[in-house]
Each structure stands twice: as C-alpha cells, then as structure tokens.
C-alpha cells in the first residue's frame, strides 16, 4: 500500500490550494471590500513611512476613497510608486499632483530620445554572483 501516502499527499496539497493563505481575522470593512477614508489614509502613511519614497516628503489626503498626493520629487519613478501605493491601500481613485523636477524630466526625456544608451563593458572581469558549476 505505497499509494496511500501519495494519495494523502495529493489530497492535502489540493485542499491547501483551495483554502488560500490565512491572513488573520477580517474586519467588517475588509470583508465588504470597502475601507474608510481614515483606514486608507493610515495604510498609505504607514506604507510611505517604510518606503524609499517617504524621504521625498509627499503629503496624501483621502476623501470619498479618492487619494490626493501633493509634493515634489527628483525621481520620476517615485510619482508612479505613490499612485500604486494608494491603489494597493484601498483607494478607488488617485489624483497625483506630485511635481517632477526639471532635472528628472530632462533625464527621462534623454532616455526616451531614441538614442542608444552608452554602456561600459569591462573585459576580463568575472561577473558577480555564485561560481558556475559547469559540466
């Protein structure tokens, strides 16, 4: 009867796939898929405090589940990161009024100009990482 452990293992795996990850007890707003403005704003501010973009000093306010960002940055990607952060925190819409510095805008324009990027390749230098275990 060697097939019993195999069948038991497959059954256990299938049940775990249907169960999904346990994330703890849900609050009423979580179970309904709706968050209050205060919950959304608190979640965004907590994420912002842990994030690299928190150093930019952005401000966020939430009203009627619409998050509004203000501030400025010298890194263009931080503006998009702020929008994604608000969406994942439960905002249904994001108004992103974050201003991009002229320097960042020029860097981005240069990257999109169609000109080839210049890359320096050092010959004879082994790439970083674990050694290969070739044949």
């Amino acid at each position: 009867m060697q097939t019993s452990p195999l069948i038991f293992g497959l059954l256990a795996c299938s049940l775990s796939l249907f169960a999904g990850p346990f994330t703890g007890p849900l609050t009423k707003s979580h179970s309904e898929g709706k968050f209050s403005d205060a919950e959304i704003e608190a979640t965004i501010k907590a994420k912002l405090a842990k994030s690299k973009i928190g150093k930019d000093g952005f401000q966020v306010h939430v009203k009627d589940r619409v998050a509004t960002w203000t501030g400025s940055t010298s890194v263009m990607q931080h503006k998009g990161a702020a929008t994604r952060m608000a969406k994942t925190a439960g905002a249904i819409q994001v108004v992103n009024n974050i201003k991009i510095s002229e320097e960042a805008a020029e860097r981005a324009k240069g990257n999109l100009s169609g000109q080839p990027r210049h890359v320096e390749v050092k010959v004879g230098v082994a790439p970083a990482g674990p050694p290969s275990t070739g044949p």
Side-chain angles (χ1 to χ4, degrees):
M1 285 293 190
Q2 293 180 354
T3 57
S4 326
L6 178 63
I7 292 173
F8 179 72
L10 289 172
L11 181 62
C13 288
S14 350
L15 290 175
S16 67
L17 289 174
F18 290 113
F22 178 72
T23 57
L26 298 176
T27 64
K28 183 177 179 186
S29 61
H30 285 90
S31 63
E32 294 173 357
K34 293 183 180 179
F35 302 96
S36 71
D37 291 347
E39 286 177 311
I40 294 170
E41 191 166 322
T43 302
I44 294 170
K45 288 182 177 181
K47 288 177 178 244
L48 188 61
K50 294 178 185 177
S51 172
K52 290 180 183 180
I53 71 171
K55 296 176 185 174
D56 286 335
F58 298 148
Q59 296 295 312
V60 64
H61 300 285
V62 179
K63 182 175 182 182
D64 299 328
R65 298 178 59 202
V66 176
T68 303
W69 286 100
T70 55
S72 61
T73 183
S74 61
V75 181
M76 184 170 280
Q77 291 83 354
H78 288 187
K79 183 172 181 170
T83 296
R84 288 187 299 277
M85 185 180 291
K87 286 281 195 174
T88 60
I92 59 170
Q93 185 178 354
V94 180
V95 177
N96 194 329
N97 294 326
I98 294 173
K99 304 291 182 208
I100 307 296
S101 70
E102 288 294 323
E103 177 187 332
E106 287 300 317
R107 277 195 315 259
K109 193 184 299 183
N111 289 340
L112 298 174
S113 67
Q115 299 296 322
R117 292 180 141 186
H118 298 286
V119 178
E120 182 180 334
V121 178
K122 295 182 180 181
V123 179
V125 177
S132 66
T133 57

